[in-house]
Every structure is written in structure tokens, then in C-alpha cells.
Amino acid sequence: MGYPENVLARDEQVVLHRHPHWGRLLVPALVLILGSAIAAFIAGYVNTLTWEPSAKRIVFLVIAAVWLILIGWLSVWPFLNWWTTHFVITDRRVMYRHGLITRSGIDIPLARINSVEFRHGLLDRILRTGTLIVESASQDPLEFQDIPQVERVHSLLYHEVFDTLGTEESPS
């Protein structure tokens, strides 16, 4: 699925659309698996006890409520934040949008970009992710964390910037 057309200008084309790297979802996935296993174990243990059925029902409801709160907060919320974070390069600008309830974003026209850098350590290189640093004419450098295939994105953005400028420095 492409980026929503209603935020693009007329004749503007999406060159690249990325969510943050999937590595951001490892801890929430582990929390979901472990939390579910622990809740199931406790519920199974409570089921073996010789308590009144109404007492068991209350304990099951408490287990379910705690599970729902923890899983919602530590697994579902991070996933929704990941899903609603967009890094988009078009033929005219770089867009970054994030947030689920309160949305925010920034647009940088390609013509205003002075330099594009990337940074990634050993673990980032193994996971093929990194930080993209964009310096524009009017702002301090902006760092975009967890960009998948950051070297490829860096190269693509570099080419788009120079194609937009139409300078002699444009790579062939």
C-alpha cells in the first residue's frame, strides 16, 4: 500500500515509503508471547484449585484484565506507533510522519537539503538498519532513527536531491 495520495501535491510521485525497521517490534513481540504464556500458566494453575466457581471466575477476570493492560501497553501500543510512523521520499520532498493519537510530522523540500549522512553500528549493520541524518538550509540536522536499508535510502536521497537541483555535481 502506498502513502496516502491526499498529502501529495499534484504530479508528486512517491519514490520511497518506509516504516521504521521491524527490529523495533522484537521486544513487544517477546512481551506478547511471554505475557500470554505466563497468564495461561497462572489460569491453568487456578483451574486446578478446588475453589468456589465464583472465586475462580473473579481470579480469571483479574488475570485477563492484567494481561489486557500489559499487552495493550507493552505490545499493541508500540506496534501501532510503528505502523503509524512513515518515512517518505518523493520527487519533491522528504516527509516524516508519526503518532497515533497526536500526529506530527516534518517536510523538507529536496531543494533545501544541504547534506545527507547515515550512521550505523555493528548490530545495525547486521539488521540492515541505521540512522539517516538530513541537514537542510534552515535547521539543525534531523536524525531519523531505525531506517531500514539506510545505505540504500541514503544513496537514493542523494540522487533525488541532485536530480532536483539539476547541478553539475549530479551523480551519473
Side-chain angles (χ1 to χ4, degrees):
M1 180 170 100
Y3 195 70
E5 297 293 322
N6 63 347
V7 300
L8 300 177
R10 187 179 324 179
D11 299 327
E12 186 175 16
Q13 300 294 316
V14 173
V15 177
L16 177 88
H17 176 212
R18 297 259 199 256
H19 291 285
H21 192 267
W22 57 265
R24 271 194 189 177
L25 299 176
L26 287 177
V27 170
L30 287 174
V31 167
L32 174 65
I33 292 167
L34 290 174
S36 297
I38 291 168
F41 177 79
I42 294 171
Y45 175 73
V46 168
N47 199 35
T48 63
L49 298 176
T50 57
W51 291 356
E52 291 287 324
S54 60
K56 282 185 182 181
R57 196 172 309 118
I58 291 172
V59 172
F60 289 147
L61 287 174
V62 169
I63 292 169
V66 169
W67 180 86
L68 249 156
I69 291 168
L70 287 177
I71 296 305
W73 179 41
L74 298 174
S75 290
V76 175
W77 188 258
F79 173 77
L80 292 175
N81 279 326
W82 173 86
W83 186 256
T84 59
T85 300
H86 302 273
F87 179 80
V88 180
I89 299 174
T90 72
D91 56 352
R92 297 182 188 176
R93 60 187 163 156
V94 174
M95 297 186 294
Y96 184 76
R97 304 280 190 272
H98 62 95
L100 183 62
I101 295 173
T102 303
R103 301 269 308 152
S104 61
I106 187 166
D107 292 1
I108 307 168
L110 293 179
R112 303 217 22 145
I113 293 176
N114 290 339
S115 69
V116 182
E117 305 172 43
F118 70 90
R119 179 178 60 235
H120 55 163
L122 181 61
L123 184 59
D124 290 336
R125 290 176 70 187
I126 292 169
L127 294 175
R128 298 178 58 178
T129 185
T131 301
L132 187 71
I133 303 159
V134 177
E135 185 177 342
S136 67
S138 64
Q139 297 176 333
D140 291 334
L142 296 170
E143 294 190 6
F144 301 102
Q145 307 284 333
D146 297 326
I147 302 294
Q149 299 177 339
V150 71
E151 289 184 55
R152 183 173 168 266
V153 173
H154 169 265
S155 177
L156 179 72
L157 183 54
Y158 177 78
H159 285 284
E160 284 295 321
V161 166
F162 281 104
D163 287 347
T164 298
L165 295 176
T167 65
E168 296 171 5
E169 298 177 49
S170 179
S172 54

